[in-house]
Amino acid sequence: METQEQEKFIRRAFELAEQNVKQGLGGPFGAVIVKDGKIVAESANRVISQNDPTAHAEVSAIRLACQKLNTYNLRGCVIYTSCEPCPMCLGAIYWAHLDAIYYGNTKNDAASIGFDDHFIYKELELPLYERTLRLTRLLPEEAMRAFKLWEASNSKTGY
């Protein structure tokens, strides 16, 4: 894809981020998902407007793209986002199998205005027992039943 096309899509992500701030709808983040040179889905950050901490621009755009394309797999698509994705969004982008990420601001730029995800990266490096958020395993034998059913199923769809 030509640089002019890429710049057009990243500018759209910037526009969504700016509109979101001007309209008081949430954080200064926007994302656009493109397939074959056409916008498939776009969203700004909707955390505040939807009372949903997972409604970041990238996750919201992924949800919309999957609905529009009727798939859970976005191979063949790329995402343009106004800022380097946070850990949650980065995970979602990997799970959606997007081909590439283009971004504007860095995670350090985001941290400088109060959107600092460093604590999450730091937590992920710690052993489970040292993390701030306590993780407690319960009833592992019962939990394993669903995994065994999945493993034995002839109708499963891998993703």
Side-chain angles (χ1 to χ4, degrees):
M1 185 178 299
E2 292 182 27
T3 302
Q4 280 185 319
E5 283 283 296
Q6 293 171 334
E7 289 176 358
K8 177 179 82 171
F9 297 131
I10 195 73
R11 284 189 176 114
R12 178 62 184 149
F14 299 161
E15 184 180 314
L16 291 165
E18 291 170 23
Q19 287 174 354
N20 212 45
V21 174
K22 289 176 184 174
Q23 295 171 358
L25 296 174
F29 304 100
V32 174
I33 295 180
V34 174
K35 182 174 186 169
D36 299 327
K38 294 186 176 132
I39 294 176
V40 174
E42 60 182 34
S43 183
N45 178 286
R46 297 288 182 241
V47 170
I48 302 301
S49 64
Q50 293 183 355
N51 292 317
D52 180 353
T54 68
H56 289 199
E58 297 91 337
V59 171
S60 297
I62 287 169
R63 290 173 179 158
L64 291 169
C66 287
Q67 288 173 358
K68 183 170 183 181
L69 297 174
N70 194 31
T71 185
Y72 56 87
N73 186 322
L74 296 177
R75 279 191 180 94
C77 298
V78 298
I79 189 165
Y80 294 83
T81 181
S82 61
C83 187
E84 182 179 356
C86 75
M88 176 185 69
C89 292
L90 188 59
I93 290 165
Y94 274 105
W95 280 115
H97 301 285
L98 286 151
D99 292 353
I101 303 168
Y102 298 93
Y103 65 95
N105 294 311
T106 68
K107 62 184 175 185
N108 293 329
D109 296 329
S112 74
I113 62 163
F115 294 93
D116 191 353
D117 301 320
H118 180 72
F119 75 98
I120 296 173
Y121 291 107
K122 192 173 178 179
E123 283 281 307
L124 291 174
E125 293 175 6
L126 295 173
L128 295 180
Y129 63 88
E130 288 184 22
R131 293 185 184 174
T132 306
L133 186 61
R134 186 176 57 197
L135 283 85
T136 305
R137 189 173 186 198
L138 295 174
L139 304 174
E141 297 83 14
E142 290 181 38
M144 193 54 69
R145 288 194 307 242
F147 278 22
K148 288 180 179 178
L149 284 171
W150 173 262
E151 190 175 43
S153 175
N154 292 324
S155 62
K156 63 185 169 201
T157 302
Y159 52 93

